């Protein structure tokens, strides 16, 4: 599979989601250019800094692309808007589907609350390391 180019070897890496299937699905959306945003809780160990470069891994922990954090904002779950939901690139890209999927995700993690604080990240795709098919 792909290896990490020398220029990215010191960069942190992570998988989106909470399962190998979801990690691969979301990584494919990033590779396709459809996913340009994500959310984390403040307690997440993978919280980025603006300007930081990250290696995105698929569900098999293989490096698939490199992203750069462009913007971080704090918002409550119930303050996420349609524009941000669209930029997350998931499902049908509506706010309703974003809320449904993310409430289910945060409930699986045992941390959901309608007024929970989220770190909203916008990022750009820097480089694709391994082609993937986006099924969404």
């Amino acid at each position: 599979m792909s290896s990490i180019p020398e220029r990215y070897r010191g960069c942190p890496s992570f998988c989106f989601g909470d399962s190998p299937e979801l990690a691969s699905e979301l990584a494919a959306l990033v590779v396709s250019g459809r996913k340009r945003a994500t959310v984390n809780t403040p307690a997440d160990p993978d919280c980025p800094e603006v300007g930081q470069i990250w290696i995105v891994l698929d569900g098999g922990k293989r490096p698939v692309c490199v992203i750069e954090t462009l913007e971080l904002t704090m918002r409550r779950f119930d303050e996420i808007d349609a524009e941000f939901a669209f930029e997350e690139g998931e499902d049908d890209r509506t706010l309703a589907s974003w809320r449904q999927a993310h409430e289910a995700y945060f409930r699986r993690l045992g941390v959901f609350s309608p007024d929970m604080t989220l770190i909203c990240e916008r990022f750009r795709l820097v480089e694709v390391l391994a082609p993937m098919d986006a099924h969404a």
Side-chain angles (χ1 to χ4, degrees), residues 22-121:
L22 187 55
S24 289
E25 176 186 329
L26 297 178
L29 291 174
V30 174
V31 168
S32 75
R34 180 174 163 141
K35 181 172 182 61
R36 301 179 312 269
T38 194
V39 294
N40 288 306
T41 64
D44 190 308
D46 290 330
C47 287
E49 297 175 10
V50 173
Q52 191 170 24
I53 301 293
W54 287 83
I55 299 164
V56 177
L57 307 174
D58 68 7
K61 304 285 189 200
R62 292 176 296 265
V64 296
C65 66
V66 177
I67 61 172
E68 177 186 9
T69 301
L70 299 177
E71 176 186 276
L72 297 169
T73 57
M74 303 288 274
R75 290 192 208 168
R76 293 186 341 203
F77 181 92
D78 57 8
E79 293 174 335
I80 299 296
D81 59 22
E83 177 186 356
F84 191 84
F86 184 85
E87 289 182 32
E88 277 231 33
E90 300 169 32
D91 300 316
D92 65 3
R93 301 178 94 170
T94 64
L95 181 56
S97 69
W98 184 94
R99 285 187 174 151
Q100 181 179 22
H102 285 78
E103 179 176 338
Y105 172 76
F106 288 120
R107 283 191 186 281
R108 288 193 305 270
L109 298 180
V111 298
F112 177 74
S113 170
D115 64 350
M116 68 187 289
T117 299
L118 296 174
I119 300 171
C120 301
E121 175 187 1

